[in-house]
């Protein structure tokens, strides 16, 4: 992983969080105290936000939903004073470029890129309006920003990766999966974020003398074949925040369940769907945090370049007990000790 990004994450962990991001990002029930004072102003002011999302799948959709909820809680609501121009690139690079060029020429007040490819394209094409990003693994390596603290320019946002989460997952596999020698990784090596995370995983596993066995795909229709190719060759399967692979994750769950292969993911939504475990967070909260940034920009005139890029801080193990049973995993008391919030993060 980009050394500059790792250093920036270390600094971000001790940063004083800005007012936009310092509120409880998981709280979505009430608007800020100042919203009532601005009610009259909001009745006259309306906003348009353009969103470019690489593909629709649970984590990215939850990110968008959290983003919109934060706006609503601050008095910026669809159907009242907000118009959202949502664009789904359907995983196609040509669509990504077309969408960013369209957004560059439209009259929206702010643009949001959900996932690395869409954020990169917006960063290149949209220079005359504020740009936010979410669900980006390494915004420095991707060339979206040059630093996490006050990145400058017209863009900021939130990374969805703390490298510690990947390392913790690999350490768990090494210590808790009996006799593990090979871990399979299904990956679209055309996705920058997936490659970065795979490198971190490979390095972490190597410290335990465990090999990472890659099965490459170019689109989601190839995920089933890639998963099948790992049967008999690996002792566990792992996937990153790889949009192509996550879009076809049902096929991996089927292979893991039918062949008793422990399946680990990098996000909570995939665990809820049928992977056994991940170290992660709620993407809804991730999107909500970026939505709060949008509120600061739209209502309070903050400049994106002065707002710190954030990274996940509240990491925890998440287990799916039904998936464990399907994949032949005996969840021991020792395993459960890895989960800090067992009430919410052990899914029965």
């Amino acid at each position: 992983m980009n050394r500059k990004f790792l250093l920036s994450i270390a600094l971000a962990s001790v940063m004083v969080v800005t007012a936009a991001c310092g509120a409880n990002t998981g709280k979505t029930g009430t608007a800020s105290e100042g919203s009532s004072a601005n009610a009259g102003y909001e009745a006259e002011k309306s906003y348009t936000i353009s969103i470019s999302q690489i593909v629709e799948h649970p984590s990215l959709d939850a990110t968008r939903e959290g983003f919109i909820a934060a706006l609503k809680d601050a008095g910026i609501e669809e159907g009242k004073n907000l118009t959202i121009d949502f664009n789904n690139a359907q995983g196609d690079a040509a669509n990504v470029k077309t969408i960013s060029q369209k957004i560059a020429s439209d009259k929206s007040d702010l643009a949001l890129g959900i996932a690395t490819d869409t954020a990169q394209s917006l960063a290149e094409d949209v220079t005359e309006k504020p740009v936010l990003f979410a669900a980006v693994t390494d915004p420095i390596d991707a060339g979206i920003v040059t630093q996490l603290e006050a990145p400058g320019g017209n863009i900021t946002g939130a990374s969805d990766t703390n490298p510690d989460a990947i390392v913790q997952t690999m350490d768990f596999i090494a210590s808790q999966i009996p006799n593990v020698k090979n871990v399979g990784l299904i990956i679209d090596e055309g996705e920058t974020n997936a490659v970065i995370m795979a490198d971190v995983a490979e390095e972490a596993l190597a410290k335990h003398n465990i090999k990472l066995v890659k099965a490459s795909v170019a689109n989601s229709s190839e995920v089933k074949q890639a998963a099948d190719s790992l049967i008999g060759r690996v002792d566990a399967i792992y996937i990153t925040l790889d949009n192509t692979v996550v879009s076809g994750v049902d096929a991996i769950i089927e292979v893991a369940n039918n062949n008793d292969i422990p399946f680990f993911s990098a996000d909570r939504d995939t665990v809820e769907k049928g992977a056994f475990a991940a170290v992660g967070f709620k993407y809804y909260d991730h999107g909500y945090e970026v939505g709060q940034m949008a509120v600061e920009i739209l209502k309070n005139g903050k400049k994106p370049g002065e707002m710190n890029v954030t990274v996940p801080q509240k990491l925890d193990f998440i287990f799916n007990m039904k998936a464990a049973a399907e994949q032949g995993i005996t969840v021991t008391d020792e395993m459960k000790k890895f989960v800090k919030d067992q009430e919410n993060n052990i899914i029965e």
Side-chain angles (χ1 to χ4, degrees):
M1 178 165 284
N2 185 302
R3 291 183 181 275
K4 190 172 181 182
F5 181 59
L6 292 173
L7 177 59
S8 296
I9 283 183
L11 292 172
S13 297
V14 295
M15 284 177 189
V16 177
V17 184
T18 62
C21 310
N24 178 359
T25 58
K27 183 178 180 182
T28 60
T30 60
S32 63
E33 292 179 2
S35 62
S36 59
N38 293 329
Y41 175 75
E42 289 306 321
E44 300 172 3
K45 177 71 174 177
S46 61
Y47 305 92
T48 299
I49 294 176
S50 295
I51 298 176
S52 179
Q53 183 170 316
I54 185 65
V55 71
E56 289 188 289
H57 67 61
S59 294
L60 301 187
D61 294 343
T63 299
R64 187 177 76 251
E65 290 162 6
F67 177 83
I68 294 170
L71 293 167
K72 182 178 179 181
D73 285 351
I76 303 175
E77 183 177 357
E78 277 190 285
K80 293 184 178 180
N81 58 352
L82 173 63
T83 299
I84 292 180
D85 173 30
F86 173 64
N87 302 271
N88 175 14
Q90 299 178 331
D92 186 281
N95 290 343
V96 169
K97 193 64 176 177
T98 299
I99 290 167
S100 67
Q101 290 174 341
K102 184 194 83 167
I103 292 174
S105 63
D106 70 22
K107 295 182 179 180
S108 58
D109 299 289
L110 181 145
L112 170 67
I114 301 178
T116 299
D117 290 353
T118 53
Q120 283 176 315
S121 194
L122 289 177
E124 291 172 359
D125 294 331
V126 181
T127 59
E128 301 298 322
K129 68 186 72 174
V131 175
L132 291 172
F133 61 81
V136 171
T137 297
D138 185 342
I140 293 176
D141 189 70
I144 298 168
V145 296
T146 58
Q147 61 188 41
L148 300 187
E149 187 172 5
N154 67 319
I155 186 165
T156 191
S159 168
D160 62 355
T161 298
N162 186 325
D164 283 348
I166 305 170
V167 174
Q168 288 177 30
T169 303
M170 298 306 110
D171 289 347
F172 179 91
I173 292 172
S175 66
Q176 302 300 316
I177 302 301
N179 303 314
V180 61
K181 292 182 175 61
N182 298 290
V183 173
L185 173 72
I186 300 167
I187 182 172
D188 175 1
E189 296 189 273
E191 283 209 24
T192 302
N193 63 315
V195 173
I196 291 168
M197 294 181 72
D199 288 345
V200 175
E202 188 166 28
E203 183 177 342
L205 288 171
K207 292 178 181 179
H208 301 285
N209 295 315
I210 297 172
K211 184 179 178 181
L212 188 70
V213 179
K214 295 180 182 179
S216 297
V217 299
N219 55 64
S220 57
S221 66
E222 297 177 359
V223 170
K224 175 64 163 64
Q225 181 179 353
D228 284 336
S229 76
L230 295 173
I231 298 171
R233 300 169 57 211
V234 302
D235 308 296
I237 293 174
Y238 171 67
I239 63 170
T240 68
L241 302 173
D242 184 324
N243 297 303
T244 301
V245 175
V246 174
S247 294
V249 77
D250 287 344
I252 305 174
I253 294 169
E254 180 183 348
V255 169
N257 290 351
N258 290 343
N259 295 277
D260 288 346
I261 304 173
F263 173 32
F264 295 82
S265 69
D267 67 289
R268 181 188 184 93
D269 296 293
T270 301
V271 174
E272 291 179 349
K273 201 166 189 180
F276 162 53
V279 177
F281 55 92
K282 291 184 178 180
Y283 269 83
Y284 182 93
D285 293 345
H286 173 71
Y288 193 93
E289 184 175 86
V290 181
Q292 289 181 309
M293 291 179 168
V295 171
E296 287 296 307
I297 293 167
L298 295 174
K299 295 183 72 171
N300 299 326
K302 287 283 187 71
K303 295 181 179 180
E306 298 174 353
M307 302 171 70
N308 297 336
V309 176
T310 64
V311 296
Q313 299 295 327
K314 297 179 180 178
L315 299 174
D316 197 5
F317 276 84
I318 305 130
F319 290 170
N320 182 325
M321 301 302 284
K322 289 183 179 178
E326 290 281 356
Q327 293 161 24
I329 303 165
T330 300
V331 180
T332 64
D333 289 340
E334 182 182 355
M335 285 183 178
K336 290 181 180 179
K337 289 178 182 178
F338 282 82
V339 184
K340 300 171 188 173
D341 182 0
Q342 296 192 9
E343 182 178 352
N344 292 308
N345 290 335
I346 294 181
I347 304 166
E348 299 292 346

